[in-house]
Amino acid sequence: MSKVAIVTGSAGGLGLGIAERLVRDGFKVVLHDINEENLNQTVTTLQNQGMDVFGVVGDVSNQADQESLVEKAVEKYGHLDVLINNAGIDAVTPILEITEQELNRVFQINVNGVVFGTQAAAKQFIKQGTKGKVINACSIAGHESFEMLGSYSASKHAVKSFTHSAAKELAQHQITVNAYCPGIAKTKMWDHIDAEMVRHSHGKLQPGEAFEQYSAGIALGRYQLPEDVGNLVSFLASSDSDYITGQAILTDGGLVYR
Ligand SMILES: NC(=O)C1=CN([C@@H]2O[C@H](COP(=O)(O)OP(=O)(O)OC[C@H]3O[C@@H](n4cnc5c(N)ncnc54)[C@H](O)[C@@H]3O)[C@@H](O)[C@H]2O)C=CC1
Ligand SMILES: CC(=O)C(C)=O
């Protein structure tokens, strides 16, 4: 019987790379995103390539949406084995200018989303009476805090902390909870971070320079590809990782050392 995985925020970027890798690993994959147009396009493209995937539109920060996502996955494929809490957003703001609205939005999506997803998947695993895996998107910013990324870094530290608590509490049900911590990948997220860093630099940075400066510190000499993240998530989703729980594992080409 094929295993079933959900990947949130997978219309593009790292989530899409993860979804494609899991399909190649033999999973049936439920793609999920808040952006309906992008999600439909991505799902159609993958289905046209013969992949067994389907899409669910939803907002990870909405608890009812997360419950409904798991219900729809089970309705379609019969059961659930793995949830990848991948969806996330960035915010680039000097500390003195962070607003209540920004902080709430970043935490609602990056942190509440992970909590609600974990709850929905864990309830399903317990109902099934099976092992299950929850895999959360953390970041190098969950291990080291970055200038101008104050609310984002705090949210990713919270993801790491929640990963530890959930791993401890859910182990009694044979549910593992781990996180992947990417470095610098050239997705829409980094396009936005670069543009925002340029905007806040008052002429000191040109477009592309913030990305170049961050990438210049990578020991292996290149920025990250979605495939690099897919490699780690593939392992965390496989039975090879059955004895690993509560870990937030860096995949960054050598940038942050913990
Ligand atoms: N790009 C990078 O260098 C790094 C990314 N990460 C993390 O990896 C994850 C994926 O990042 P990227 O692919 O780069 O981002 P991205 O911005 O390229 O893609 C994120 C996807 O999530 C979706 N999304 C946003 N809010 C959502 C919501 N409320 N509900 C459902 N879907 C939503 C977006 O529509 C988009 O398709 C994020 O959690 C991010 O924080 C971590 C470290 C580095
Ligand atoms: C997007 C992200 O997590 C960083 C720190 O680059």
Side-chain angles (χ1 to χ4, degrees):
M1 186 170 51
S2 295
K3 286 190 175 172
V4 178
I6 296 172
V7 188
T8 68
S10 51
L14 302 183
L16 174 56
I18 292 166
E20 289 178 317
R21 173 57 193 261
L22 292 182
V23 171
R24 285 207 305 281
D25 289 348
F27 280 82
K28 294 177 191 292
V29 176
V30 181
L31 284 94
H32 163 275
D33 211 281
I34 199 168
N35 186 322
E36 184 166 8
E37 198 185 331
N38 287 355
L39 180 68
N40 288 342
Q41 269 179 18
T42 300
V43 168
T44 304
T45 304
L46 298 188
Q47 285 175 340
N48 287 343
Q49 291 169 21
M51 298 188 187
D52 193 349
V53 299
F54 90 109
V56 176
V57 178
D59 178 351
V60 291
S61 70
N62 181 310
Q63 195 168 21
D65 276 14
Q66 295 280 64
E67 282 165 10
S68 154
L69 168 62
V70 169
E71 273 167 28
K72 285 178 182 157
V74 173
E75 217 173 87
K76 170 81 176 168
Y77 289 134
H79 65 283
L80 180 67
D81 300 285
V82 178
L83 170 70
I84 323 285
N85 281 313
N86 171 74
I89 59 164
D90 66 278
V92 180
T93 316
I95 295 290
L96 301 185
E97 295 171 26
I98 293 173
T99 60
E100 185 177 345
Q101 193 190 19
E102 171 188 311
L103 208 50
N104 285 342
R105 191 169 141 68
V106 168
F107 272 75
Q108 274 162 8
I109 295 172
N110 294 3
V111 184
N112 298 16
V114 166
V115 176
F116 297 151
T118 303
Q119 290 174 327
K123 283 179 195 164
Q124 179 60 30
F125 298 145
I126 292 165
K127 190 166 145 194
Q128 290 170 183
T130 60
K131 293 192 287 196
K133 290 174 184 282
V134 176
I135 305 172
N136 300 325
C138 187
S139 165
I140 48 172
H143 288 273
E144 183 160 325
S145 303
F146 292 89
E147 287 172 58
M148 304 292 287
L149 290 167
S151 50
Y152 180 80
S153 299
S155 77
K156 292 299 182 179
H157 276 70
V159 168
K160 185 175 67 178
S161 167
F162 179 74
T163 299
H164 294 165
S165 300
K168 289 180 183 180
E169 203 172 315
L170 297 173
Q172 61 183 310
H173 303 290
Q174 297 301 310
I175 297 168
T176 62
V177 187
N178 291 293
Y180 53 99
C181 305
I184 311 294
K186 196 162 179 17
T187 61
K188 281 186 186 157
M189 177 173 283
W190 246 104
D191 290 345
H192 182 251
I193 293 173
D194 185 76
E196 286 293 281
M197 287 196 171
V198 170
R199 186 170 72 82
H200 285 295
S201 77
H202 307 294
K204 288 191 196 127
L205 287 174
Q206 296 303 309
E209 284 184 354
F211 183 76
E212 274 170 27
Q213 283 177 8
Y214 271 78
S215 301
I218 301 171
L220 290 176
R222 66 166 175 86
Y223 63 76
Q224 185 150 35
L225 301 172
E227 290 82 349
D228 298 314
V229 180
N231 289 340
L232 173 58
V233 175
S234 165
F235 166 68
L236 290 174
S238 77
S239 56
D240 286 348
S241 69
D242 277 358
Y243 199 59
I244 299 174
T245 196
Q247 302 306 307
I249 301 173
L250 285 154
T251 164
D252 65 359
L255 186 59
V256 167
Y257 296 85
R258 293 291 183 274

